[in-house]
Amino acid sequence: MDKPWKISRGPIAATELDVEKANAINSLLIRPVGVLPAKPGDPVLPFVVGLFNELRPLLKPDAGVTTLRRATAAYVHCRRYYFASAQPDSMRHNIDGEPVEPLSEEDRLVAQKRFLSLKQSAAKAEEPEPAPVVVAAPVLSKNEQIRAALLRGRKNAVS
């Protein structure tokens, strides 16, 4: 895992959840931005470095910068965004969704590690808890049952 992937999976399609996160960002802005998916199946596009600074001027007057920061963080820290960023042919995109520059090998490796970590965490969360082990009471022979009854009677007589 110390080397970036060499085989591309092609464009990574957005899921319904990715689109919901993108819509949360767009709802805070005076206009939607092209770098975000509009519908499931649209490609997830890695952002150009510093894109948040381009989003801030588009913030609606009644929306807070912290809210925009959190919504953007929720989008860029998801599994599919990391998966898209980890691809060998991944490009950074500007606010309009146009490719600007390739991701560095270092950035792709970081994205790859985070993707695999999130994938592993999701797999663990989906594993069902093991059922508790039920140990059946030992089956006592007729002689053992009589002996146990006699010993209980002896304890009660002594007490």
Side-chain angles (χ1 to χ4, degrees), residues 9-145:
R9 306 291 191 271
I12 305 306
T15 63
E16 186 68 40
L17 182 59
D18 298 322
V19 173
E20 287 176 24
K21 290 177 182 180
N23 288 340
I25 295 169
N26 279 328
S27 71
L28 299 170
L29 304 176
I30 56 175
R31 70 171 176 86
V33 292
V35 72
L36 297 170
K39 63 187 182 311
D42 284 353
V44 174
L45 304 174
F47 295 172
V48 69
V49 176
L51 184 80
F52 185 79
N53 293 329
E54 294 180 47
L55 293 176
R56 284 178 67 176
L58 298 177
L59 193 61
K60 288 180 180 175
D62 60 334
V65 174
T66 303
T67 305
L68 177 63
R69 187 174 304 281
R70 287 182 181 154
T72 305
Y75 180 78
V76 300
H77 293 294
C78 70
R79 195 164 59 173
R80 300 196 62 78
Y81 185 87
Y82 285 132
F83 191 41
S85 299
Q87 300 304 309
D89 54 354
S90 59
M91 297 286 290
R92 293 195 178 277
H93 296 77
N94 66 15
I95 199 165
D96 297 320
E98 297 167 3
V100 175
E101 64 184 358
L103 267 83
S104 69
E105 189 170 303
E106 181 181 334
D107 289 346
R108 286 191 308 110
L109 185 59
V110 168
Q112 178 182 320
K113 288 179 180 179
R114 289 186 179 161
F115 167 75
L116 293 172
S117 174
L118 289 172
K119 184 177 176 183
Q120 188 176 38
S121 297
K124 285 181 182 178
E126 291 175 4
E127 288 179 9
E129 286 189 30
V133 178
V134 178
V135 179
V139 178
L140 299 176
S141 67
K142 192 72 165 173
N143 285 342
E144 291 169 327
Q145 290 176 5

